[in-house]
Amino acid sequence: MGGPMYQREFRRHKTREVRVGDKVVGGDNPIWVQSMTTTDTHDVEATVAQIHRLEEAGCELVRVTVPKPEDAAVLTAIKRRIHIPLICDIHFDYRMALAALDHPVDKIRINPGNIGGYERFRQVVRKCRDKGVAMRIGVNAGSLEKDLLDKYGYPCPPALVESVLRYIEIAEAEGFRDIIVSLKSSDVPTVVETYRLYAQQCDYPTHIGVTEAGKPPYAVVKSACGLAPLLLDGIGDTIRVSLLGDPVPEVQAAFDILQATGRRVRKPELIACPTCGRLEIDLEKIVAELEQRLAGRKTPVKISVLGCVVNGPGEAREADIGIAAGRGKGMIFRRGRMVRTVSEAEMVDALLEELDRWEQEELAARRQNRTDMTEPDAAAASSASPATVSPRSGSVSLPLV
């Protein structure tokens, strides 16, 4: 029999909920993945085509830049042809935010440090409030207000947090609370310290990212270094991995970081040991075939493939499904228990068969849990008067998959 599996306790920074189109940001909702177009926004065909590519990659919110009147003018045309919330990015000219809000956009992103003063910020806040559109107050280390630079000497975490709290207070004074916050820097330690400091003082949801991360693959590593500590702290309600060039790879990078930190697992995680002289199977071939055949599977399960007998049995036992192999054969583990031994030629098929069994067991467990939840309701309904019977009693209708 397998021993008990280690369970981690995850505490998420408790934030308010803010609606952005068909998504609700914050609270216990998923950590949504966002990206940004690189096209000239007024080029509707190019912008929509790029957004469609982002949607196909799994992007859940998209931001477009609105620096000119001709960009604002086409926002309705863009919104009609896309399927995810549309966010407008505003710098320098507050009038572009006001113009964008005449269209069916889902959120305005304002950089308060370069918008031209408090009164202009208030005008945008009032129109967002009146239109029922959320706002991201996006403080950036590269455009911090002069008085805060004079006070602190440089864009340090306390300066960034003081800046965003200042603008939150202004927005709240106008009766506006549909706020999301970002506090970005291109310096990883500054990013981590700033969001941690903010989370101690405020409960508006956060969009997290490392700005100007650069060119992949280094930019992905840099973003992961900044985002992982925050996600593991429970901080972050939307996420972007900023990469130079085509934005589509940003989406997979973001989902990979969410999966690696255990914050949003949408597919099987395949674990494989590094190749070394102890290998006694063709591990690369097996892993490549597994990756191909796992494509499209959504089960949040860890599958480990270990190619030697040194650490293999122990590590395979720790995964949800695992195999410890050597000398052309391997031991299959499921839920910490060895279930069978197979030859090298059978390993991929055997692991997929165990995944099928895992899915069947999980489905049966969910059905049983729903039955257990329903029975007390039914018992309560049978003894309650008609005036006190809950409409849910005895009729829980949740999807089975």
Side-chain angles (χ1 to χ4, degrees), residues 58-80:
C59 183
E60 295 163 318
L61 305 105
V62 67
R63 182 159 45 114
V64 299
T65 184
V66 186
K68 302 184 290 290
E70 53 263 43
D71 298 312
V74 300
L75 292 171
T76 295
I78 292 171
K79 176 64 179 175
R80 285 173 177 164

Side-chain angles (χ1 to χ4, degrees), residues 232-255:
L232 292 170
D233 282 351
I235 298 170
D237 300 288
T238 67
I239 179 177
R240 181 190 175 197
V241 175
S242 300
L243 302 179
L244 176 65
D246 183 359
V248 172
E250 294 182 356
V251 178
Q252 186 60 56
F255 277 119

Side-chain angles (χ1 to χ4, degrees), residues 197-218:
L197 181 61
Y198 166 82
Q200 294 170 11
Q201 302 179 52
C202 203
D203 65 352
Y204 285 105
T206 52
H207 170 73
I208 60 174
V210 178
T211 193
E212 300 158 355
K215 182 180 179 181
Y218 174 72

Side-chain angles (χ1 to χ4, degrees), residues 4 20 33 36 42 65 86 184 259 290 295 303 315 354 377 392:
V20 180
V33 170
M36 184 174 181
H42 61 263
T65 184
L86 180 63
K184 290 191 178 183
Q259 174 126 353
L290 264 177
I303 302 173
E315 293 180 359
E354 295 304 326
D377 281 347
R392 294 191 306 106

